[in-house]
Amino acid sequence: MSQLYGVALTGTGSCLPARVVTNDEFAEALNLDTSDEWIRTRTGIRERRFAGVGETSATLGAAAARHALAAAGLAPDAIDLIVCATVTPDLMCPSNACLIQAELGCRHVPAFDVSAACSGFLYALSVATQFVRTGAARHALVVGAEVLTRAMDVTDRNSCILFGDGAGAVVLSATPVLNVGVRNLRLYSDGSRQELIQVPSRVTPVPPPGPPMLQRLDYLRMSGREVYRFAVTRLVELIQQAEVDCREMGLAGPDVLIPHQVNQRIIDAALEDAGFPKDRVVVNLDRYGNTSAASVPVALDEALRTGRCRPGDTVLLVAFGGGLTWSSAIVTL
Ligand SMILES: CC(C)(COP(=O)(O)OP(=O)(O)OC[C@H]1O[C@@H](n2cnc3c(N)ncnc32)[C@H](O)[C@@H]1OP(=O)(O)O)[C@@H](O)C(=O)NCCC(=O)NCCS
């Protein structure tokens, strides 16, 4: 067998749109039957960011990628692979990854998108890890970027209050040291529960009734309570499995947990069931809401930049969402 490499995380970056939308804005500007108090107590979210004119998942992703490259001390031409996780790409074709390749001025390297909803970043991380582990890429860029606010039905108070826009990115680099960086990955899916969260696309098997263009097809639809139960159950399982995986690798356990930033109540319920200490969990959903594929890399970048986690720490990244999909990664920084 040819040589395998360690997959070190050498840089992180993020980019959030400047426009802050508070809970009160939903009730006032959007004339929605809700309140700041309801949203805060049921979700933990206080505000989120909305992409502005000219901002898309590709532009936010490219900006996050630039920060990650700077943190890694690499020029764009050092990158051998670009994988972007998104369910809100600028275009059906070409991929966001290609738009980011052009925007950054990377070489003519493989660039493609991965679609796994809120698990997307960890799915993309897994793909890039295989390239770096086997020596097919020396440095890989992994981006999670979304503008889900463009796909939300602002008349649906169950779902529109939950989401925000943003992008996060990491650089993975090959190293001869095997026990650093991405140590373990677990990815799962259950398509039989696809109807629980859907963003219908314009390329749909059933044409919409009525004249074209009058019927919007691409609003996010979600069964909130069922998704809530799914999220708590899978989050508990993933944390408990990761503790076993850590022990098998000779680690005491994850030092820090960075869960998908979904809902404070979901996170709290899972922590209690799994017996994981709350003070070792990174949460920023109060400021950004649920940014889908961007949520984990944005939280990781902030945690590193604020010293919430440090080089040497073993971090557990956990995500779950549409598909249904769920996933985890154990990463030693
Ligand atoms: C959507 C969610 C916040 C709703 O919270 P909940 O505590 O489960 O609330 P319920 O669905 O039980 O609804 C309770 C009541 O609040 C109402 N309600 C829902 N959204 C509301 C809002 N924004 N403001 C005020 N009232 C609201 C409901 O209509 C319902 O009213 P009713 O009792 O008169 O029918 C919650 O289920 C959730 O977070 N689910 C997971 C969704 C998610 O994270 N999806 C992405 C996964 S990646």
Side-chain angles (χ1 to χ4, degrees), residues 148-313:
L148 261 178
T149 64
R150 303 235 167 107
M152 67 190 196
D153 179 352
V154 289
T155 63
D156 177 11
R157 65 180 183 172
N158 270 293
S159 63
C160 72
I161 51 139
L162 300 174
F163 298 99
D165 301 331
V170 303
V171 176
L172 300 180
S173 301
T175 163
V177 187
L178 290 177
N179 61 352
V180 298
V182 184
R183 309 283 292 269
N184 192 68
L185 285 147
R186 289 186 176 270
L187 310 178
Y188 304 91
S189 70
D190 178 6
S192 73
R193 305 184 76 201
Q194 59 185 278
E195 77 288 350
L196 292 192
I197 314 175
Q198 292 192 332
V199 186
S201 94
R202 292 194 181 278
V203 182
T204 174
V206 184
M213 306 311 294
L214 289 183
Q215 182 86 15
R216 277 203 63 171
L217 289 173
D218 49 356
Y219 283 149
L220 181 142
R221 297 193 299 245
M222 186 190 73
S223 306
R225 283 182 211 183
E226 283 91 330
V227 173
Y228 188 103
R229 279 194 287 273
F230 151 75
V232 174
T233 308
R234 295 308 185 192
L235 185 47
V236 172
E237 281 175 12
L238 288 163
I239 293 170
Q240 290 175 338
Q241 182 63 57
E243 281 171 339
V244 173
D245 291 338
C246 278
R247 280 198 293 279
E248 283 177 4
M249 289 188 288
L251 298 165
D255 299 303
V256 177
L257 167 64
I258 302 183
H260 173 39
Q261 303 294 308
V262 62
N263 177 323
Q264 189 66 55
R265 280 163 60 218
I266 290 175
I267 294 171
D268 288 346
L271 294 181
E272 196 172 326
D273 284 6
F276 196 92
K278 214 175 166 177
D279 61 353
R280 284 169 29 204
V281 180
V282 172
V283 173
N284 65 10
L285 63 86
D286 52 321
R287 287 174 290 130
Y288 304 137
N290 178 348
T291 57
S292 187
S295 112
V296 166
V298 168
L300 173 63
D301 181 50
E302 281 198 353
L304 269 162
R305 286 174 196 273
T306 57
R308 187 74 179 71
C309 52
R310 296 166 192 284
D313 281 350

